[in-house]
Amino acid sequence: PFDWYADRRGASPLHWDPDRGCWDVFSYDEVKRMLGDDETFSVDPRNASGFQPAGDQAFLLETMLFQDPPKHDRTRDVVDEFFRPSAVKSLEPFIAEESRRLVEEALAEREDDVIDVVDALAYPLPVIVIAKLLGVPAEDRDQFKQWSDTIVEGTAGEEEADAADLQQRQMEAGMALANYFRELVADRQENPAEDLVTRIVQADADLNETEILGFCMLLLIAGNITTTNLLTNAVRIFGEEAYWPAAGQRDTAIEEVLRYRAPVQSMTRVAREDLTIDGKRVEAGDTLVCWLGAANRDPAQFADPDTFVPDRRPNQHLGFGYGTHYCLGAPLARLEASVALRELGAEYEVTPAWGDDLDPIDSSFLHGVRSLPVRLD
Ligand code: HEM
C-alpha cells in the first residue's frame, strides 16, 4: 500500500472515494488531528449516514472501541490499570517460557530446522497470553484457542471455499465462547481470583451482561491477530535488513517496526459537523478512513520515511492510534514482542527461509503475511 499512500499524500491530505463512499486521509497531521478530536470526529459508526449494521459483529458496537466519551471512559477505566506497563510486567516469565516452548515444539517436528514464524510462534502466543490474563484455566486453553482461531479466521485471510460454512462455524464458535465467558463470569462472582474477569465483574461501573461479554470478546479480537502481525513483521524486516537487535536496541527497533509496517493500517471516524479540509467539503455523517500506515511514512513528520531506521528517535508513530482510543493493549503487545524476540534471538541464529513471494494477509486494514519460514541454527 505504501506507494499508493505516497502517491495520494503528495496531492492532498484527503481524497474522496466515490466507490467506497468515504474519505481517505493520508497526512500525519490530519490523521493525528482526527484521532485526537472526539468532539468533531466520532468513533461510533452509527453516526455515519447510511449506516448498516454488520450482523455478526454487532456486540462490538457495545464496547469501548466504538464508544465516544463519556461512555467510553467509564468502560475503559474498568480495565485501564490492568494493562499498565507495570501490571503486565508480571507476565514476562510466562511469555518467555511459552515462547521457548512453542518454538521448541515446532522445531521438534522438523528435520531441516525451518519453522514458520506465524504458525509456530506469532499466531499462538497472543491467544495463550490473553487467556492467561483473563483467567482461563490452563486445561481449557486449547479449546479456548480453537474458538478464538475460528472467529478470526476470515480476518487472517484464510482461503475458504465455502464462505457460508465459515460463517456458520464462526457463529458457533462465537456462541461457544460467549457461553464459556458466561460460566467464567459466574464462577468469578462466587470465587474471585487475581484475573481480568474478576476485575470486570467486580467493577462498580454497572456493566450489563452484554457489556461484560463484549469486553471479553473485544480483548480477544483486538489483541490477537494484531500482535501476531507485529511479531511477524518484526522478524520479516530484521531478515530483509540482515539485522538482529542487541538487547539494548530491541525496544526501539520494535517501535520502528510499528511505524514502518504498522500491523493496523487504518482506523475509521465519522465527521459530526460540516468542515472544510484542504479546500474540500466534508459533511456531517461522512466516513473518514485515517491511514495510520500513511501517516507513519509522512515525510513532513519522519526523515527518510521509507527507510527502516532501528534506532530512530524521536519516533511518534501512530501504530497504536492516538488520543482517547490509544491502544489499551499497547504495553502488553510491546512486552510480548520484546520477550518473544529476545527468546528467539538468545537461542538461535535466525535467517530468512522465505522467497520473493510472501503471501500478504488479504485485508486493507491489517498488514502482515500469512506465513514466514525462517531457519533456526
Ligand atoms: C485500540 C492497534 C494489541 C486492545 C487500538 C487502536 C489501534 C490498535 C490502532 C486504536 C483504535 C481506534 O483509534 O479506533 C493495536 C496493535 C496491536 C494491538 C497494532 C499489536 C501490535 C492489542 C492488545 C490488546 C488490545 C494485545 C488487548 C489485549 C485494544 C483495545 C482497544 C485498542 C481494547 C480500544 C481502546 C479504546 O477504544 O479506548 N489498538 N493493538 N490491542 N486495542 Fe489494540
Side-chain angles (χ1 to χ4, degrees):
F2 302 107
D3 291 341
W4 180 63
Y5 298 154
D7 206 45
R8 288 303 179 106
R9 195 197 308 104
S12 169
L14 92 167
H15 297 259
W16 174 254
D17 181 341
D19 297 331
R20 283 147 63 233
C22 62
W23 296 94
D24 289 307
V25 187
F26 296 99
S27 77
Y28 184 91
D29 286 347
E30 283 302 336
V31 168
K32 188 169 170 183
R33 174 169 85 110
M34 288 174 187
L35 299 182
D37 179 358
D38 314 294
E39 301 269 311
T40 318
F41 303 98
S42 167
V43 77
D44 188 341
R46 286 169 289 203
N47 289 326
S49 33
F51 168 72
Q52 298 273 344
D56 55 334
Q57 306 261 304
F59 69 91
L60 274 180
L61 290 174
E62 305 307 323
T63 68
M64 69 179 107
L65 187 59
F66 293 117
Q67 282 167 352
D68 291 311
K71 194 161 186 207
H72 167 274
D73 304 358
R74 192 189 67 138
T75 333
R76 180 155 172 154
D77 279 352
V78 174
V79 287
D80 226 11
E81 224 174 84
F82 226 94
F83 283 95
R84 297 239 171 90
S86 53
V88 296
K89 187 88 186 135
S90 65
L91 284 166
E92 188 185 325
F94 177 76
I95 298 171
E97 196 183 309
E98 289 298 310
S99 305
R100 282 195 302 271
R101 179 182 67 80
L102 289 168
V103 174
E104 278 162 21
E105 279 179 13
L107 269 179
E109 285 176 15
R110 303 281 307 214
E111 294 197 343
D112 57 0
D113 296 336
V114 172
I115 64 160
D116 177 2
V117 173
V118 180
D119 263 1
L121 177 64
Y123 193 65
L125 185 65
V127 191
I128 295 172
V129 174
I130 196 70
K132 160 103 171 159
L133 198 66
L134 282 162
V136 175
E139 65 269 23
D140 295 345
R141 275 182 214 144
D142 279 346
Q143 174 65 71
F144 184 85
K145 182 175 171 306
Q146 277 174 24
W147 290 325
S148 163
D149 288 353
T150 306
I151 290 174
V152 298
E153 224 170 283
T155 4
E158 298 292 323
E159 301 274 350
E160 186 66 46
D162 189 351
D165 175 58
L166 175 66
Q167 229 178 9
Q168 177 66 27
R169 286 191 296 118
Q170 284 181 327
M171 217 173 67
E172 285 166 10
M175 269 159 40
L177 205 52
N179 279 333
Y180 184 83
F181 279 131
R182 236 174 248 128
E183 281 173 28
L184 195 60
V185 164
D187 179 71
R188 291 306 190 270
Q189 274 158 344
E190 300 286 308
N191 315 298
E194 284 291 310
D195 57 36
L196 194 51
V197 167
T198 305
R199 174 78 189 110
I200 295 171
V201 298
Q202 284 181 342
D204 52 4
D206 270 347
L207 301 180
N208 63 33
E209 194 187 73
T210 318
E211 286 172 316
I212 293 180
L213 293 179
F215 225 130
C216 298
M217 302 289 262
L218 171 64
L219 294 176
L220 265 188
I221 292 169
N224 286 348
I225 202 74
T226 45
T227 310
T228 299
N229 289 337
L230 173 58
L231 249 172
T232 313
N233 292 352
V235 175
R236 171 183 178 186
I237 298 168
F238 298 167
E240 285 168 351
E241 303 280 325
Y243 158 89
W244 193 269
Q249 305 167 342
R250 197 170 46 241
D251 293 348
T252 325
I254 290 171
E255 294 310 300
E256 180 68 345
V257 172
L258 283 157
R259 182 194 72 83
Y260 187 73
R261 289 195 185 277
V264 175
Q265 289 281 310
S266 66
M267 289 302 19
T268 300
R269 293 295 186 267
V270 180
R272 288 185 201 254
E273 52 193 65
D274 297 348
L275 357 120
T276 305
I277 302 171
D278 197 42
K280 294 172 184 164
R281 188 91 186 123
V282 175
E283 289 177 17
D286 280 1
T287 295
L288 299 137
V289 178
C290 300
W291 290 96
L292 308 176
N296 280 351
R297 292 192 182 213
D298 187 341
Q301 175 67 20
F302 299 100
D304 243 341
D306 296 320
T307 306
F308 179 78
V309 182
D311 57 354
R312 186 183 288 275
R313 275 201 196 92
N315 188 350
Q316 303 287 338
H317 66 78
L318 303 180
F320 285 123
Y322 179 76
T324 302
H325 296 275
Y326 182 83
C327 178
L328 172 74
L332 179 61
R334 285 182 167 124
L335 181 70
E336 283 183 46
S338 182
V339 172
L341 292 169
R342 181 188 78 199
E343 295 302 319
L344 200 58
E347 284 296 317
Y348 311 99
E349 190 182 329
V350 186
T351 42
W354 64 88
D356 299 330
D357 50 353
L358 282 174
D359 192 5
I361 283 175
D362 184 17
S363 161
S364 63
F365 141 80
L366 297 167
H367 180 69
V369 290
R370 292 193 209 189
S371 119
L372 192 74
V374 293
R375 223 187 116 82
L376 302 181
D377 293 299

